[in-house]
Coordinates of all heavy atoms in Angstrom, one line a residue:
P1 N 1.9 -39.2 5.8 CA 0.6 -38.5 5.9 C 0.8 -37.1 6.2 O 1.8 -36.7 6.8 CB -0.1 -39.2 7.1 CG 0.8 -40.3 7.6 CD 2.0 -40.3 6.8
S2 N -0.1 -36.3 5.8 CA -0.1 -34.8 6.1 C -1.2 -34.5 7.0 O -2.2 -35.2 7.2 CB -0.2 -34.1 4.8 OG -1.4 -34.3 4.2
A3 N -1.1 -33.3 7.7 CA -2.1 -32.8 8.6 C -2.1 -31.3 8.7 O -1.0 -30.7 8.7 CB -1.9 -33.5 9.9
P4 N -3.2 -30.6 8.8 CA -3.2 -29.2 9.1 C -2.8 -28.9 10.5 O -3.0 -29.7 11.4 CB -4.6 -28.8 8.8 CG -5.4 -30.0 9.0 CD -4.6 -31.2 8.7
F5 N -2.2 -27.7 10.7 CA -1.8 -27.3 12.1 C -2.1 -25.8 12.3 O -2.2 -25.1 11.3 CB -0.3 -27.6 12.4 CG 0.6 -26.8 11.5 CD1 1.1 -25.6 12.0 CD2 1.1 -27.3 10.3 CE1 2.0 -24.9 11.2 CE2 2.0 -26.6 9.6 CZ 2.4 -25.4 10.0
V6 N -2.3 -25.5 13.5 CA -2.5 -24.1 13.9 C -1.7 -23.8 15.2 O -1.8 -24.6 16.1 CB -4.0 -23.8 14.2 CG1 -4.2 -22.3 14.6 CG2 -4.8 -24.0 12.9
I7 N -1.0 -22.7 15.2 CA -0.2 -22.3 16.4 C -0.7 -20.9 16.7 O -0.6 -20.0 15.9 CB 1.3 -22.3 16.2 CG1 1.7 -23.7 15.7 CG2 2.0 -21.9 17.4 CD1 3.2 -23.8 15.2
F8 N -1.1 -20.6 18.0 CA -1.5 -19.3 18.4 C -0.4 -18.7 19.4 O 0.2 -19.4 20.2 CB -2.8 -19.4 19.2 CG -3.2 -18.1 19.9 CD1 -3.8 -17.1 19.1 CD2 -2.9 -17.9 21.2 CE1 -4.1 -15.9 19.7 CE2 -3.2 -16.7 21.8 CZ -3.8 -15.7 21.1
S9 N -0.2 -17.4 19.2 CA 0.7 -16.7 20.2 C 0.2 -15.3 20.3 O -0.4 -14.7 19.3 CB 2.1 -16.7 19.6 OG 2.9 -15.9 20.5
E10 N 0.4 -14.7 21.5 CA 0.0 -13.3 21.7 C 1.0 -12.4 21.0 O 0.7 -11.2 20.7 CB 0.0 -12.9 23.2 CG -1.1 -13.6 23.9 CD -1.1 -13.2 25.4 OE1 -0.7 -12.1 25.7 OE2 -1.5 -14.0 26.2
Y11 N 2.2 -12.9 20.6 CA 3.2 -12.1 20.1 C 3.6 -12.6 18.7 O 3.6 -13.8 18.4 CB 4.5 -12.1 21.0 CG 4.1 -11.7 22.4 CD1 4.0 -12.7 23.4 CD2 3.9 -10.4 22.7 CE1 3.6 -12.3 24.7 CE2 3.5 -10.0 24.0 CZ 3.4 -11.0 25.0 OH 3.1 -10.6 26.2
L12 N 4.0 -11.7 17.8 CA 4.3 -12.1 16.4 C 5.7 -12.7 16.3 O 5.9 -13.6 15.5 CB 4.2 -10.8 15.5 CG 4.5 -11.0 14.1 CD1 3.5 -11.9 13.4 CD2 4.4 -9.6 13.4
E13 N 6.7 -12.2 17.0 CA 8.1 -12.6 16.8 C 8.3 -14.1 16.9 O 9.0 -14.7 16.0 CB 9.0 -11.9 17.8 CG 9.1 -10.4 17.5 CD 7.9 -9.6 18.0 OE1 7.1 -10.1 18.8 OE2 7.8 -8.4 17.6
P14 N 7.7 -14.8 17.9 CA 8.0 -16.3 18.0 C 7.4 -17.0 16.8 O 8.0 -18.0 16.3 CB 7.3 -16.7 19.3 CG 7.0 -15.5 20.0 CD 7.0 -14.4 19.1
L15 N 6.2 -16.5 16.3 CA 5.6 -17.2 15.1 C 6.4 -16.9 13.8 O 6.5 -17.8 13.0 CB 4.2 -16.7 14.9 CG 3.2 -17.2 16.0 CD1 1.8 -16.7 15.7 CD2 3.3 -18.7 16.2
V16 N 7.0 -15.8 13.7 CA 7.9 -15.5 12.6 C 9.1 -16.4 12.6 O 9.5 -17.0 11.5 CB 8.3 -14.0 12.5 CG1 9.4 -13.7 11.5 CG2 7.1 -13.1 12.3
Q17 N 9.7 -16.6 13.7 CA 10.8 -17.5 13.8 C 10.4 -19.0 13.5 O 11.1 -19.7 12.8 CB 11.4 -17.5 15.3 CG 12.1 -16.2 15.6 CD 12.6 -16.2 17.1 OE1 12.1 -17.0 17.9 NE2 13.4 -15.2 17.4
C18 N 9.2 -19.4 14.0 CA 8.7 -20.7 13.7 C 8.4 -20.8 12.2 O 8.8 -21.8 11.5 CB 7.4 -20.9 14.5 SG 6.8 -22.6 14.3
F19 N 7.8 -19.8 11.6 CA 7.5 -19.8 10.1 C 8.8 -20.0 9.3 O 8.8 -20.8 8.4 CB 6.9 -18.4 9.8 CG 6.5 -18.3 8.4 CD1 5.2 -18.4 8.0 CD2 7.4 -17.9 7.4 CE1 4.7 -18.2 6.7 CE2 7.0 -17.8 6.1 CZ 5.7 -17.9 5.7
R20 N 9.9 -19.3 9.7 CA 11.1 -19.4 8.9 C 11.8 -20.8 9.1 O 12.3 -21.3 8.2 CB 12.1 -18.3 9.4 CG 11.7 -16.9 8.9 CD 12.6 -15.9 9.3 NE 12.2 -14.6 8.8 CZ 12.5 -13.4 9.3 NH1 13.2 -13.4 10.4 NH2 12.1 -12.3 8.8
E21 N 11.7 -21.3 10.3 CA 12.3 -22.6 10.6 C 11.5 -23.7 9.8 O 12.1 -24.6 9.2 CB 12.3 -22.9 12.1 CG 13.1 -24.1 12.5 CD 14.6 -24.0 12.2 OE1 15.1 -22.9 12.1 OE2 15.2 -25.1 11.9
V22 N 10.2 -23.6 9.8 CA 9.4 -24.6 9.1 C 9.7 -24.5 7.6 O 9.8 -25.5 6.9 CB 7.9 -24.4 9.4 CG1 7.0 -25.2 8.4 CG2 7.6 -24.8 10.8
Q23 N 9.8 -23.3 7.1 CA 10.1 -23.1 5.7 C 11.5 -23.6 5.3 O 11.7 -24.3 4.3 CB 10.1 -21.6 5.4 CG 9.5 -21.2 4.1 CD 9.4 -19.7 3.9 OE1 10.1 -18.9 4.6 NE2 8.6 -19.3 3.0
K24 N 12.5 -23.4 6.2 CA 13.8 -23.8 6.0 C 13.9 -25.4 5.9 O 14.6 -26.0 5.1 CB 14.8 -23.3 7.0 CG 16.3 -23.6 6.8 CD 17.1 -22.8 7.8 CE 17.1 -23.6 9.1 NZ 18.1 -23.0 10.1
R25 N 13.2 -26.0 6.8 CA 13.2 -27.5 6.9 C 12.4 -28.1 5.9 O 12.4 -29.4 5.7 CB 12.8 -27.9 8.3 CG 13.8 -27.5 9.4 CD 13.3 -28.1 10.7 NE 14.2 -27.6 11.8 CZ 14.2 -28.1 13.0 NH1 13.4 -29.1 13.3 NH2 14.9 -27.6 13.9
Q26 N 11.5 -27.4 5.2 CA 10.6 -27.9 4.2 C 9.7 -29.0 4.7 O 9.6 -30.0 4.0 CB 11.4 -28.3 3.0 CG 12.3 -27.3 2.4 CD 13.1 -27.8 1.2 OE1 13.0 -28.9 0.8 NE2 14.0 -27.0 0.7
V27 N 9.1 -28.8 5.8 CA 8.2 -29.8 6.4 C 6.7 -29.4 6.3 O 5.9 -30.1 6.8 CB 8.6 -30.1 7.8 CG1 10.0 -30.7 7.9 CG2 8.6 -28.8 8.7
A28 N 6.4 -28.3 5.7 CA 5.0 -27.8 5.6 C 4.8 -27.0 4.4 O 5.8 -26.4 3.8 CB 4.6 -27.1 6.9
C29 N 3.6 -26.9 4.0 CA 3.2 -26.0 2.8 C 2.0 -25.2 3.2 O 1.4 -25.4 4.3 CB 2.9 -26.8 1.6 SG 1.5 -27.9 1.7
K30 N 1.6 -24.2 2.4 CA 0.5 -23.3 2.6 C 0.6 -22.6 4.0 O -0.3 -22.4 4.7 CB -0.8 -24.0 2.5 CG -1.1 -24.6 1.1 CD -2.5 -25.1 1.1 CE -3.0 -25.0 -0.3 NZ -3.8 -23.9 -0.7
L31 N 1.8 -22.2 4.3 CA 2.1 -21.4 5.5 C 1.4 -20.0 5.4 O 1.5 -19.4 4.4 CB 3.6 -21.3 5.8 CG 4.3 -22.6 6.1 CD1 5.8 -22.3 6.2 CD2 3.8 -23.2 7.4
Q32 N 0.8 -19.6 6.5 CA 0.2 -18.3 6.6 C 0.2 -17.8 8.0 O -0.2 -18.5 8.9 CB -1.3 -18.4 6.1 CG -2.0 -17.1 6.0 CD -3.4 -17.3 5.4 OE1 -3.9 -18.3 5.3 NE2 -3.9 -16.2 4.9
L33 N 0.6 -16.5 8.1 CA 0.6 -15.8 9.4 C -0.6 -14.8 9.4 O -0.8 -14.1 8.4 CB 1.8 -15.0 9.6 CG 3.0 -15.7 10.4 CD1 4.2 -14.8 10.3 CD2 2.6 -16.0 11.8
S34 N -1.4 -14.9 10.4 CA -2.6 -14.0 10.4 C -2.8 -13.3 11.8 O -2.4 -13.8 12.8 CB -3.9 -14.8 10.2 OG -3.8 -15.5 9.0
N35 N -3.4 -12.2 11.7 CA -3.8 -11.4 13.0 C -5.2 -11.8 13.4 O -6.1 -11.8 12.5 CB -3.7 -9.9 12.6 CG -3.8 -9.1 13.8 OD1 -4.4 -9.5 14.8 ND2 -3.4 -7.8 13.7
T36 N -5.4 -12.0 14.6 CA -6.7 -12.5 15.1 C -7.6 -11.3 15.6 O -8.8 -11.6 15.9 CB -6.6 -13.5 16.2 OG1 -6.0 -12.9 17.3 CG2 -5.9 -14.7 15.8
W37 N -7.1 -10.1 15.7 CA -7.9 -9.0 16.2 C -8.9 -8.6 15.2 O -8.6 -8.3 14.0 CB -6.9 -7.9 16.6 CG -7.6 -6.8 17.4 CD1 -8.0 -6.8 18.7 CD2 -8.1 -5.6 16.9 NE1 -8.6 -5.7 19.0 CE2 -8.7 -4.9 17.9 CE3 -8.1 -5.0 15.6 CZ2 -9.2 -3.6 17.8 CZ3 -8.6 -3.7 15.5 CH2 -9.2 -3.0 16.6
T38 N -10.1 -8.4 15.6 CA -11.2 -7.9 14.7 C -11.8 -6.7 15.4 O -11.8 -6.6 16.6 CB -12.2 -9.0 14.4 OG1 -12.8 -9.4 15.6 CG2 -11.6 -10.2 13.7
R39 N -12.4 -5.9 14.6 CA -13.1 -4.7 15.1 C -14.5 -4.8 14.9 O -15.0 -5.1 13.8 CB -12.5 -3.4 14.4 CG -13.3 -2.2 14.7 CD -12.7 -1.0 14.2 NE -11.7 -0.6 15.2 CZ -10.8 0.4 15.0 NH1 -10.7 1.0 13.9 NH2 -9.9 0.7 16.0
E40 N -15.3 -4.6 15.9 CA -16.8 -4.7 15.8 C -17.3 -3.3 15.4 O -16.7 -2.3 15.9 CB -17.4 -5.1 17.1 CG -17.1 -6.5 17.5 CD -17.7 -6.9 18.9 OE1 -18.6 -6.2 19.3 OE2 -17.1 -7.8 19.5
Y41 N -18.3 -3.3 14.6 CA -18.9 -2.0 14.2 C -20.4 -1.9 14.6 O -21.1 -2.9 14.6 CB -18.9 -1.8 12.7 CG -17.5 -1.5 12.2 CD1 -16.6 -2.5 11.9 CD2 -17.1 -0.2 12.0 CE1 -15.3 -2.2 11.5 CE2 -15.8 0.2 11.6 CZ -14.9 -0.8 11.3 OH -13.7 -0.5 10.9
Q42 N -20.8 -0.7 15.1 CA -22.2 -0.5 15.4 C -22.8 0.1 14.2 O -22.3 1.2 13.7 CB -22.3 0.5 16.6 CG -23.7 0.7 17.0 CD -23.8 1.6 18.2 OE1 -22.9 2.5 18.4 NE2 -24.8 1.5 19.0
V43 N -23.8 -0.5 13.7 CA -24.5 0.0 12.5 C -25.9 0.5 12.9 O -26.7 -0.3 13.4 CB -24.6 -1.1 11.4 CG1 -25.3 -0.6 10.2 CG2 -23.3 -1.7 11.1
L44 N -26.1 1.8 12.7 CA -27.4 2.4 13.0 C -27.8 3.1 11.7 O -27.0 3.5 10.8 CB -27.2 3.4 14.1 CG -26.8 2.8 15.5 CD1 -26.4 3.9 16.4 CD2 -27.9 1.9 16.0
P45 N -29.1 3.4 11.6 CA -29.6 4.1 10.4 C -28.9 5.5 10.2 O -28.8 6.3 11.2 CB -31.1 4.4 10.7 CG -31.5 3.3 11.7 CD -30.2 3.1 12.5
G46 N -28.2 5.7 9.1 CA -27.5 6.9 8.8 C -26.1 7.0 9.4 O -25.5 8.0 9.1
R47 N -25.7 6.1 10.2 CA -24.3 6.2 10.7 C -23.8 4.8 11.1 O -24.5 4.0 11.6 CB -24.3 7.1 11.9 CG -25.2 6.7 13.1 CD -25.3 7.8 14.1 NE -25.9 7.3 15.3 CZ -27.2 7.5 15.5 NH1 -28.0 8.1 14.6 NH2 -27.8 7.0 16.6
T48 N -22.5 4.7 10.9 CA -21.8 3.4 11.3 C -20.5 3.8 11.9 O -19.8 4.7 11.4 CB -21.5 2.6 10.0 OG1 -22.8 2.2 9.4 CG2 -20.8 1.3 10.3
H49 N -20.1 3.2 13.0 CA -18.8 3.5 13.6 C -18.3 2.3 14.5 O -19.2 1.5 14.8 CB -18.9 4.8 14.5 CG -19.9 4.7 15.6 ND1 -19.6 4.1 16.8 CD2 -21.2 5.1 15.7 CE1 -20.7 4.2 17.6 NE2 -21.7 4.8 16.9
P50 N -17.0 2.3 14.8 CA -16.6 1.2 15.6 C -17.2 1.2 17.0 O -17.4 2.3 17.5 CB -15.0 1.4 15.7 CG -14.7 2.4 14.6 CD -16.0 3.2 14.3
T51 N -17.4 0.1 17.5 CA -17.9 0.0 18.9 C -16.8 0.5 19.8 O -15.6 0.2 19.7 CB -18.2 -1.5 19.3 OG1 -19.2 -2.0 18.3 CG2 -18.8 -1.6 20.7
M52 N -17.2 1.4 20.8 CA -16.2 2.1 21.6 C -15.7 1.2 22.7 O -14.5 1.3 23.1 CB -16.8 3.3 22.2 CG -17.2 4.3 21.2 SD -15.8 4.8 20.2 CE -16.5 5.4 18.7
G53 N -16.5 0.3 23.3 CA -16.1 -0.5 24.4 C -15.5 -1.8 24.0 O -16.0 -2.9 24.4
M54 N -14.4 -1.8 23.2 CA -13.8 -3.0 22.7 C -12.6 -3.4 23.5 O -11.9 -2.6 24.1 CB -13.4 -2.8 21.2 CG -14.5 -2.7 20.3 SD -14.0 -2.5 18.6 CE -12.9 -3.8 18.4
S55 N -12.3 -4.7 23.5 CA -11.1 -5.2 24.1 C -9.9 -5.1 23.1 O -10.1 -5.2 21.9 CB -11.3 -6.7 24.4 OG -10.1 -7.4 24.6
A56 N -8.8 -4.8 23.7 CA -7.6 -4.7 22.9 C -6.8 -6.0 22.8 O -5.8 -6.0 22.2 CB -6.7 -3.6 23.5
C57 N -7.4 -7.1 23.3 CA -6.8 -8.4 23.2 C -6.8 -8.9 21.8 O -7.7 -8.7 21.1 CB -7.4 -9.3 24.2 SG -7.3 -8.9 25.9
G58 N -5.8 -9.6 21.5 CA -5.7 -10.2 20.2 C -4.6 -11.2 20.2 O -4.1 -11.6 21.2
G59 N -4.1 -11.5 19.0 CA -3.0 -12.4 18.9 C -2.7 -12.7 17.5 O -3.2 -12.1 16.6
F60 N -1.9 -13.7 17.2 CA -1.5 -14.1 15.9 C -1.6 -15.6 15.8 O -1.4 -16.3 16.8 CB -0.1 -13.6 15.6 CG 0.1 -12.2 15.7 CD1 0.4 -11.6 16.9 CD2 -0.1 -11.3 14.6 CE1 0.6 -10.2 17.0 CE2 0.0 -10.0 14.7 CZ 0.3 -9.4 15.9
I61 N -1.9 -16.1 14.6 CA -1.9 -17.5 14.4 C -1.0 -17.9 13.1 O -1.0 -17.1 12.2 CB -3.3 -18.1 14.2 CG1 -4.1 -17.4 13.1 CG2 -4.1 -18.1 15.5 CD1 -5.4 -18.1 12.7
L62 N -0.3 -19.0 13.2 CA 0.4 -19.6 12.1 C -0.3 -20.8 11.7 O -0.5 -21.7 12.6 CB 1.9 -19.9 12.6 CG 2.7 -20.7 11.6 CD1 2.9 -19.9 10.3 CD2 4.1 -21.0 12.2
T63 N -0.7 -20.9 10.5 CA -1.4 -22.1 10.0 C -0.6 -22.7 8.8 O 0.2 -22.0 8.1 CB -2.8 -21.8 9.5 OG1 -2.7 -20.8 8.4 CG2 -3.6 -21.3 10.6
G64 N -0.8 -24.0 8.6 CA -0.2 -24.6 7.4 C -0.6 -26.1 7.4 O -1.4 -26.5 8.2
I65 N 0.1 -26.8 6.5 CA -0.2 -28.2 6.3 C 1.2 -28.9 6.4 O 2.1 -28.7 5.6 CB -0.9 -28.6 5.0 CG1 -2.2 -27.8 4.9 CG2 -1.0 -30.1 4.8 CD1 -2.9 -28.0 3.6
K66 N 1.3 -29.8 7.4 CA 2.5 -30.5 7.6 C 2.6 -31.6 6.6 O 1.6 -32.3 6.3 CB 2.5 -31.2 9.0 CG 3.8 -32.0 9.3 CD 3.6 -32.8 10.6 CE 4.6 -33.9 10.7 NZ 4.5 -35.0 9.8
V67 N 3.7 -31.7 5.9 CA 3.8 -32.8 4.9 C 4.9 -33.8 5.4 O 6.0 -33.4 5.8 CB 4.2 -32.2 3.5 CG1 3.0 -31.6 2.8 CG2 5.3 -31.2 3.6
A68 N 4.6 -35.0 5.2 CA 5.6 -36.1 5.6 C 6.7 -36.3 4.6 O 6.4 -36.1 3.4 CB 4.8 -37.4 5.9
A69 N 7.8 -36.6 5.1 CA 9.0 -36.9 4.2 C 8.7 -38.2 3.4 O 8.2 -39.1 4.0 CB 10.3 -36.9 4.9
R70 N 9.1 -38.2 2.2 CA 9.0 -39.5 1.4 C 10.3 -40.2 1.4 O 11.3 -39.6 1.4 CB 8.5 -39.1 0.0 CG 7.1 -38.7 -0.1 CD 6.6 -38.3 -1.4 NE 7.0 -39.1 -2.5 CZ 6.5 -39.1 -3.7 NH1 5.4 -38.4 -3.9 NH2 7.0 -39.8 -4.7
S71 N 10.2 -41.5 1.3 CA 11.4 -42.3 1.3 C 12.2 -42.2 0.0 O 13.4 -42.4 0.0 CB 11.1 -43.8 1.5 OG 10.2 -44.2 0.5
D72 N 11.6 -41.8 -1.1 CA 12.3 -41.6 -2.4 C 13.0 -40.3 -2.6 O 13.6 -40.0 -3.6 CB 11.4 -41.9 -3.6 CG 10.2 -40.9 -3.7 OD1 10.1 -40.0 -2.8 OD2 9.4 -41.1 -4.6
G73 N 12.9 -39.4 -1.6 CA 13.6 -38.1 -1.6 C 12.8 -37.0 -2.3 O 13.3 -35.9 -2.3
W74 N 11.6 -37.3 -2.9 CA 10.9 -36.3 -3.5 C 10.4 -35.3 -2.5 O 9.9 -35.6 -1.4 CB 9.7 -36.9 -4.3 CG 8.9 -36.0 -5.0 CD1 9.1 -35.5 -6.3 CD2 7.6 -35.3 -4.7 NE1 8.2 -34.7 -6.7 CE2 7.2 -34.5 -5.7 CE3 6.9 -35.3 -3.5 CZ2 6.1 -33.8 -5.7 CZ3 5.7 -34.6 -3.5 CH2 5.3 -33.8 -4.6
K75 N 10.4 -34.0 -2.9 CA 10.0 -32.9 -1.9 C 8.8 -32.2 -2.5 O 8.8 -31.8 -3.6 CB 11.1 -31.9 -1.7 CG 12.4 -32.5 -1.2 CD 12.8 -31.7 0.0 CE 14.1 -32.2 0.5 NZ 14.0 -32.8 1.8
F76 N 7.7 -32.1 -1.7 CA 6.5 -31.4 -2.1 C 6.8 -29.9 -2.1 O 6.2 -29.2 -3.0 CB 5.4 -31.8 -1.1 CG 4.1 -31.1 -1.4 CD1 3.3 -31.5 -2.4 CD2 3.7 -30.0 -0.7 CE1 2.1 -30.9 -2.7 CE2 2.5 -29.3 -1.0 CZ 1.7 -29.8 -2.0
V77 N 7.6 -29.4 -1.2 CA 7.8 -28.0 -1.1 C 9.1 -27.7 -1.8 O 10.2 -28.3 -1.5 CB 7.9 -27.6 0.4 CG1 8.1 -26.1 0.5 CG2 6.6 -28.0 1.1
A78 N 9.1 -26.8 -2.7 CA 10.3 -26.4 -3.5 C 11.3 -25.7 -2.5 O 10.9 -24.9 -1.6 CB 10.0 -25.5 -4.6
P79 N 12.6 -25.9 -2.6 CA 13.6 -25.2 -1.8 C 13.5 -23.7 -2.0 O 13.1 -23.2 -3.0 CB 14.9 -25.7 -2.4 CG 14.6 -27.0 -3.0 CD 13.2 -26.9 -3.6
I80 N 13.8 -23.0 -0.9 CA 13.6 -21.5 -0.9 C 14.5 -20.9 -2.0 O 14.0 -20.0 -2.6 CB 14.0 -21.0 0.5 CG1 13.0 -21.5 1.6 CG2 14.0 -19.5 0.5 CD1 13.4 -21.2 3.0
E81 N 15.7 -21.4 -2.2 CA 16.5 -20.8 -3.2 C 15.8 -20.9 -4.6 O 15.9 -20.0 -5.4 CB 17.9 -21.5 -3.3 CG 18.7 -21.4 -2.0 CD 18.3 -22.5 -1.0 OE1 17.8 -23.6 -1.4 OE2 18.5 -22.2 0.2
L82 N 15.2 -22.0 -4.9 CA 14.5 -22.2 -6.2 C 13.3 -21.2 -6.3 O 13.1 -20.7 -7.3 CB 14.0 -23.7 -6.3 CG 13.3 -24.0 -7.6 CD1 14.3 -23.8 -8.8 CD2 12.9 -25.5 -7.6
Q83 N 12.6 -21.1 -5.2 CA 11.5 -20.1 -5.2 C 11.9 -18.7 -5.4 O 11.3 -18.0 -6.2 CB 10.7 -20.2 -3.8 CG 10.0 -21.5 -3.6 CD 9.4 -21.6 -2.2 OE1 9.4 -20.6 -1.4 NE2 8.9 -22.7 -1.8
D84 N 13.1 -18.3 -4.8 CA 13.6 -17.0 -5.0 C 14.0 -16.8 -6.5 O 13.8 -15.7 -7.1 CB 14.8 -16.8 -4.1 CG 14.4 -16.6 -2.7 OD1 13.3 -16.4 -2.4 OD2 15.3 -16.8 -1.8
K85 N 14.6 -17.8 -7.1 CA 15.0 -17.7 -8.5 C 13.8 -17.5 -9.4 O 13.8 -16.7 -10.4 CB 15.8 -18.9 -9.0 CG 17.2 -19.0 -8.5 CD 17.9 -20.2 -8.9 CE 19.3 -20.2 -8.3 NZ 20.0 -21.5 -8.7
K86 N 12.7 -18.2 -9.1 CA 11.5 -18.1 -9.9 C 10.9 -16.7 -9.8 O 10.5 -16.1 -10.7 CB 10.4 -19.1 -9.5 CG 10.7 -20.5 -10.0 CD 9.7 -21.5 -9.6 CE 9.9 -22.9 -10.0 NZ 8.9 -23.8 -9.6
R87 N 10.9 -16.2 -8.5 CA 10.4 -14.8 -8.3 C 11.2 -13.8 -9.1 O 10.7 -12.8 -9.6 CB 10.4 -14.5 -6.8 CG 9.1 -14.8 -6.1 CD 9.1 -14.2 -4.7 NE 8.6 -15.3 -3.9 CZ 9.2 -15.9 -2.9 NH1 10.4 -15.6 -2.6 NH2 8.6 -16.8 -2.2
Q88 N 12.6 -14.0 -9.1 CA 13.5 -13.1 -9.7 C 13.2 -13.1 -11.2 O 13.2 -12.0 -11.8 CB 14.9 -13.5 -9.4 CG 15.9 -12.4 -9.6 CD 17.3 -12.9 -9.1 OE1 17.6 -14.1 -9.2 NE2 18.1 -12.0 -8.7
K89 N 12.9 -14.2 -11.8 CA 12.7 -14.3 -13.2 C 11.4 -13.6 -13.6 O 11.3 -12.9 -14.6 CB 12.5 -15.8 -13.7 CG 13.9 -16.5 -13.8 CD 13.7 -17.9 -14.4 CE 15.0 -18.6 -14.4 NZ 14.8 -20.0 -14.9
K90 N 10.4 -13.7 -12.7 CA 9.1 -13.0 -13.0 C 9.2 -11.5 -12.9 O 8.5 -10.8 -13.6 CB 8.0 -13.5 -11.9 CG 7.5 -14.9 -12.2 CD 6.5 -15.2 -11.2 CE 6.0 -16.6 -11.4 NZ 5.0 -17.0 -10.4
T91 N 10.1 -11.0 -12.0 CA 10.2 -9.6 -11.8 C 11.4 -9.0 -12.6 O 11.7 -7.8 -12.4 CB 10.4 -9.2 -10.3 OG1 11.6 -9.9 -9.8 CG2 9.2 -9.7 -9.5
D92 N 12.1 -9.8 -13.4 CA 13.2 -9.3 -14.2 C 12.7 -8.3 -15.3 O 11.9 -8.6 -16.1 CB 13.9 -10.5 -14.9 CG 15.2 -10.1 -15.5 OD1 15.6 -8.9 -15.4 OD2 15.9 -10.9 -16.0
T93 N 13.2 -7.0 -15.2 CA 12.7 -6.0 -16.1 C 13.7 -5.6 -17.1 O 13.6 -4.5 -17.7 CB 12.2 -4.8 -15.3 OG1 13.3 -4.3 -14.5 CG2 11.0 -5.1 -14.4
R94 N 14.8 -6.3 -17.2 CA 15.8 -6.0 -18.2 C 15.3 -6.0 -19.6 O 14.5 -6.9 -19.9 CB 17.0 -6.9 -18.1 CG 17.8 -6.7 -16.8 CD 19.0 -7.7 -16.7 NE 18.4 -9.0 -16.5 CZ 19.0 -10.1 -16.6 NH1 20.3 -10.2 -17.0 NH2 18.5 -11.3 -16.4
P95 N 15.6 -5.1 -20.5 CA 15.1 -5.1 -21.8 C 15.7 -6.3 -22.6 O 16.8 -6.7 -22.4 CB 15.6 -3.8 -22.4 CG 16.7 -3.4 -21.6 CD 16.5 -4.0 -20.2
F96 N 14.9 -6.9 -23.5 CA 15.3 -8.0 -24.3 C 16.2 -7.5 -25.4 O 15.9 -6.6 -26.1 CB 14.0 -8.7 -24.9 CG 14.3 -9.8 -25.8 CD1 14.8 -11.0 -25.3 CD2 14.2 -9.6 -27.2 CE1 15.1 -12.0 -26.2 CE2 14.6 -10.7 -28.1 CZ 15.0 -11.9 -27.5
T97 N 17.3 -8.2 -25.6 CA 18.2 -7.9 -26.7 C 18.5 -9.1 -27.5 O 18.9 -10.1 -27.0 CB 19.5 -7.3 -26.1 OG1 20.1 -8.3 -25.3 CG2 19.3 -6.0 -25.4
A98 N 18.2 -9.0 -28.8 CA 18.4 -10.2 -29.7 C 19.9 -10.2 -30.1 O 20.5 -9.2 -30.3 CB 17.5 -10.0 -30.9
T99 N 20.4 -11.4 -30.2 CA 21.8 -11.6 -30.6 C 21.9 -12.3 -31.9 O 21.1 -13.0 -32.3 CB 22.6 -12.3 -29.5 OG1 22.0 -13.6 -29.3 CG2 22.7 -11.5 -28.3

């Protein structure tokens, strides 16, 4: 079975480490790191500006979907090396030469 998950932290570094570890172990998909800080705006006729008395508190969240390992060895998440090769092919700008 699979399940969505969310991890909150005030600091980015622990979530980056967690993101990389989850990616390496291939136990989740749709991983996303987000910043939770938002800015409120005061909207008045003819002028709009950020609210001055705002809190500086915020944090970061790591979200994704945990995928369970299958007994037949099939992997839902492609290995990182394979993903890198696919990206490399898409960005390959070498000129085509016919032989």
Side-chain angles (χ1 to χ4, degrees):
S2 63
F5 66 88
V6 177
I7 303 170
F8 172 81
S9 175
E10 291 181 32
Y11 307 102
L12 180 60
E13 293 78 12
L15 292 181
V16 170
Q17 290 175 348
C18 184
F19 183 100
R20 289 183 179 151
E21 190 63 29
V22 167
Q23 219 177 19
K24 186 172 81 175
R25 293 183 186 194
Q26 301 176 5
V27 293
C29 64
K30 295 190 154 262
L31 294 173
Q32 185 175 16
L33 269 171
S34 305
N35 185 342
T36 63
W37 190 79
T38 60
R39 172 171 275 173
E40 295 177 21
Y41 284 87
Q42 182 179 28
V43 179
L44 299 170
R47 60 188 188 269
T48 300
H49 60 83
T51 303
M52 297 301 159
M54 290 180 52
S55 164
C57 296
F60 301 90
I61 55 172
L62 171 62
T63 60
I65 300 174
K66 178 190 169 292
V67 285
R70 289 177 38 162
S71 59
D72 62 2
W74 184 83
K75 299 230 184 248
F76 179 76
V77 182
I80 295 170
E81 298 83 28
L82 183 61
Q83 291 174 6
D84 289 342
K85 285 181 184 178
K86 285 182 181 178
R87 269 192 223 113
Q88 200 171 30
K89 284 182 183 178
K90 287 181 183 178
T91 60
D92 192 358
T93 58
R94 291 179 288 166
F96 175 75
T97 56
T99 55

